[in-house]
């Protein structure tokens, strides 16, 4: 399989392969690698039909010139719907739902991507593991005893294993970035309002959720972003010299990031410094209040939103997983005045973080405090929601900050540990600065510190 979606699209455009052949390879890989649990549902007939239709287009057709023309992909079983792909949201409470096409799904297709199935997500996306009780359990292709993360864990497993080269994903509390970090991939969470969404998912979870994709390369993310944003971002919106940025370097987290992953952030900073960027060391005290507020706001929004959804849809909470039942109960027990007070904090997080971005242009931080966790580390039988949400923030203490503030963030691997697992770093920037993040990420990727071949899962 080509190295990334860009290479596959170029091979299809040049005639070295076809969309039909690429689809057959994806379907074969999905079957061969089914034990990884990456794919929750697929429609082989629909995938083959879409590929055949694409191959029948005239060479001059605009669809054949799209950035990812003829490339197979998978959608997440959570988020804006793709027509023909019945969502269950990872839940036994939900009968498979036929839905219309979201605006984002239409843009995926306009990019030339051919969706043929859905990836595994935890029930309602409540976890940083992807192990819904209805199955399948998603496993990490780098080491199947480990989790690929969540809630876009199935998407990350599918991309890392070589089933597809790019996959739709969503991120409300790190759900693109954590799986990408666990699997050695690139995960961009666009800033609030930066990509097309809706009609129903556009303000999902009060605006803290974003949709994009999990990618094999920075160039794939950079080629997809202008399509999903409607146009390339205006570089004047980030009025600094991109050749000499002020990098706020944060290696300290609470709980502490392990030494190897902290050193990876320091090495990434050295690379940026050698390339003309200026480092400005920061401490946990500079960001801790906003990180803690973001976790608190994320939890309140998630619990109340789910309680409201279950009521509106007339669902029976008794059919949900034990953890989900407790989350629903927590949301139902939240008083409107208490929830309003939490929501009032949301713009303050962005306001304070904007103040920090007066002295630095980009934050460089750890993504995870340690290596990918074992399968089963976040059991769906958990009934202590305090313990569950504490585990999420303990694994990715700077994940929800980008969601609540609405700022864009990106993660990518910058080396490997002694077990061959990725050492991810994260960068966060002000709104409108996705191109800056992508440029810096490309610079780091160019160091070649992570070179594990994709698609080699047994």
């Amino acid at each position: 399989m080509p190295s990334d979606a860009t290479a596959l699209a170029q091979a299809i455009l040049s005639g070295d392969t076809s969309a039909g052949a690429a689809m057959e390879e994806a379907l074969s890989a999905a079957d061969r690698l089914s034990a990884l649990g990456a794919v929750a549902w697929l429609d082989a007939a629909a995938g083959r039909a879409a590929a055949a239709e694409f191959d029948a287009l005239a060479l001059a057709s605009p669809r054949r010139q799209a950035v990812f023309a003829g490339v197979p992909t998978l959608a997440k079983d959570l988020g804006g719907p793709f027509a023909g792909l019945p969502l269950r949201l990872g839940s036994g409470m939900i009968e498979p739902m036929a839905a219309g096409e979201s605006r984002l799904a239409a843009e995926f297709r306009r990019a030339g991507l051919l969706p043929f199935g859905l990836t595994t997500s935890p029930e309602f996306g409540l976890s940083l593991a992807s192990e819904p009780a209805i199955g399948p359990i998603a496993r990490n292709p780098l080491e199947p005893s480990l989790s690929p993360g969540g809630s876009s864990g199935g998407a990350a497993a599918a991309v890392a294993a070589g089933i597809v080269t790019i996959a739709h994903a969503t991120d409300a509390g790190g759900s693109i970035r954590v799986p990408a970090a666990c699997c050695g991939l690139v995960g961009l969470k666009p800033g609030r309002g930066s990509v097309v969404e809706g009609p129903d998912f556009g303000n999902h979870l009060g605006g803290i959720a974003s949709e994009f994709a999990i990618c094999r390369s920075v160039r794939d993310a950079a080629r997809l972003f202008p399509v999903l944003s409607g146009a390339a971002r205006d570089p004047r919106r980030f009025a600094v010299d991109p050749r000499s940025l002020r990098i706020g370097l944060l290696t300290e987290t609470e709980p502490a990031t392990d030494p190897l992953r902290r050193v990876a952030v320091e090495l990434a900073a050295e690379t940026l410094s050698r390339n003309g960027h200026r480092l400005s060391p920061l401490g946990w005290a500079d960001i801790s209040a906003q990180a803690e507020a973001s976790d608190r706001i994320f939890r309140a929004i998630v619990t109340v939103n789910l309680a409201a959804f279950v009521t509106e849809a007339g669902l029976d909470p008794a059919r949900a997983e034990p953890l989900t039942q407790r989350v629903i109960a927590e949301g139902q027990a939240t008083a409107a005045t208490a929830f309003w007070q939490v929501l009032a904090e949301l713009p303050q997080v962005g306001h304070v973080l904007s103040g920090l971005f007066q002295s630095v242009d980009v934050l460089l931080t750890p993504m995870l405090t340690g290596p990918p966790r074992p399968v089963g580390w976040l059991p769906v039988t958990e009934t202590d929601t305090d313990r569950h949400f504490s585990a999420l923030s303990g694994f990715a203490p700077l994940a929800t900050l980008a969601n609540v503030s609405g700022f864009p963030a990106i993660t990518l691997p910058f080396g490997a540990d002694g077990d061959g697992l990725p050492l991810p770093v994260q960068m966060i920037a002000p709104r409108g600065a996705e191109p800056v993040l992508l440029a810096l990420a490309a610079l780091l990727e160019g160091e070649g510190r992570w070179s594990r071949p994709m698609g080699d899962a047994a």
Side-chain angles (χ1 to χ4, degrees):
M1 174 178 280
S3 59
D4 60 6
T6 297
L8 180 54
Q10 291 170 345
I12 293 170
L13 180 63
S14 69
D16 290 340
T17 189
S18 65
M23 184 64 70
E24 289 300 329
E25 186 173 351
L27 291 170
S28 175
D31 180 63
R32 186 177 71 254
L33 300 171
S34 61
L36 289 175
V39 181
W41 182 91
L42 65 78
D43 188 337
R48 290 186 174 109
E53 179 186 1
F54 179 89
D55 286 334
L57 294 172
L59 292 177
S61 167
R63 284 185 61 198
R64 292 191 68 93
Q65 308 304 315
V67 292
F68 297 121
V71 173
T73 193
L74 293 163
K76 182 180 177 179
D77 185 25
L78 186 70
F82 286 66
L85 304 183
L87 295 173
R88 292 196 70 181
L89 314 182
S91 177
M93 300 172 70
I94 305 284
E95 294 301 320
M97 299 181 296
E101 185 96 332
S102 68
R103 290 183 61 200
L104 181 122
E107 293 302 314
F108 262 71
R109 297 186 202 273
R110 191 168 73 87
L113 294 163
L114 306 179
F116 66 93
L118 295 166
T119 58
T120 301
S121 171
E123 188 168 51
F124 299 112
L126 293 176
S127 182
L128 291 182
S130 299
E131 303 169 24
I134 62 171
I137 292 174
R139 297 177 179 274
N140 194 320
L142 303 178
E143 171 46 65
S145 67
L146 301 178
S147 170
S151 63
S152 304
V159 174
I163 297 172
V164 292
T165 52
I166 190 170
H168 165 248
T170 67
D171 190 320
S175 291
I176 288 175
R177 289 162 290 147
V178 170
C182 288
C183 295
L185 300 167
V186 176
L188 171 69
K189 184 209 79 72
R192 187 173 297 140
S194 290
V195 302
V196 296
E197 292 176 325
D200 298 321
F201 197 70
N203 196 39
H204 188 56
L205 295 175
I208 67 172
S210 296
E211 292 188 88
F212 194 65
I214 289 180
C215 305
R216 286 185 166 191
S217 66
V218 174
R219 71 173 181 174
D220 280 357
R223 287 166 68 87
L224 182 62
F225 179 73
V227 178
L228 299 189
S229 66
R233 309 304 292 176
D234 183 347
R236 290 173 297 178
R237 292 188 62 189
F238 197 74
V240 297
D241 183 352
R243 297 165 301 178
S244 182
L245 299 173
R246 299 166 298 173
I247 308 297
L249 173 60
L250 178 67
T251 60
E252 180 186 358
T253 61
E254 181 59 46
T257 297
D258 74 28
L260 284 175
R261 283 155 184 80
R262 190 168 63 247
V263 168
V265 177
E266 293 169 348
L267 292 173
E270 290 178 10
T271 294
L272 296 178
S273 178
R274 287 199 306 273
N275 283 271
H277 302 293
R278 294 163 287 160
L279 302 181
S280 179
L282 299 172
W284 182 244
D286 294 309
I287 205 76
S288 60
Q290 304 316 307
E292 291 163 6
S294 296
D295 286 339
R296 184 171 60 255
I297 294 165
F298 165 78
R299 177 174 177 172
I301 289 176
V302 166
T303 55
V304 172
N305 174 82
L306 184 55
F309 173 76
V310 167
T311 299
E312 181 181 358
L315 301 177
D316 179 7
R319 297 178 57 193
E321 298 166 3
L323 173 66
T324 303
Q325 292 181 31
R326 298 295 296 179
V327 170
I328 294 168
E330 181 173 319
Q332 291 172 332
T334 302
T337 52
F339 186 55
W340 180 257
Q341 289 172 343
V342 170
L343 287 184
E345 288 188 86
L346 190 149
Q348 291 301 316
V349 171
H351 175 72
V352 173
L353 198 56
S354 293
L356 179 61
F357 282 125
Q358 296 301 308
S359 57
V360 300
D361 300 313
V362 175
L363 282 175
L364 174 63
T365 78
M367 185 68 241
L368 306 176
T369 54
R373 301 296 199 247
V375 168
W377 79 285
L378 290 172
V380 300
T381 55
E382 177 66 82
T383 57
D384 186 334
T385 53
D386 286 341
R387 186 159 53 209
H388 176 76
F389 285 107
S390 177
L392 304 188
S393 60
F395 188 42
L398 287 166
T400 62
L401 179 66
N403 299 97
V404 171
S405 67
F407 292 166
I410 193 168
T411 187
L412 74 157
F414 199 69
D417 65 16
D419 296 318
L421 298 172
L423 300 175
V425 301
Q426 176 178 228
M427 291 181 286
I428 305 173
R431 292 180 194 171
E434 287 91 345
V436 173
L437 289 179
L438 289 163
L440 293 177
L443 193 158
L444 295 178
E445 184 182 63
E447 289 276 290
R449 290 178 176 270
W450 173 257
S451 58
R452 184 182 178 100
M454 299 296 178
D456 62 348

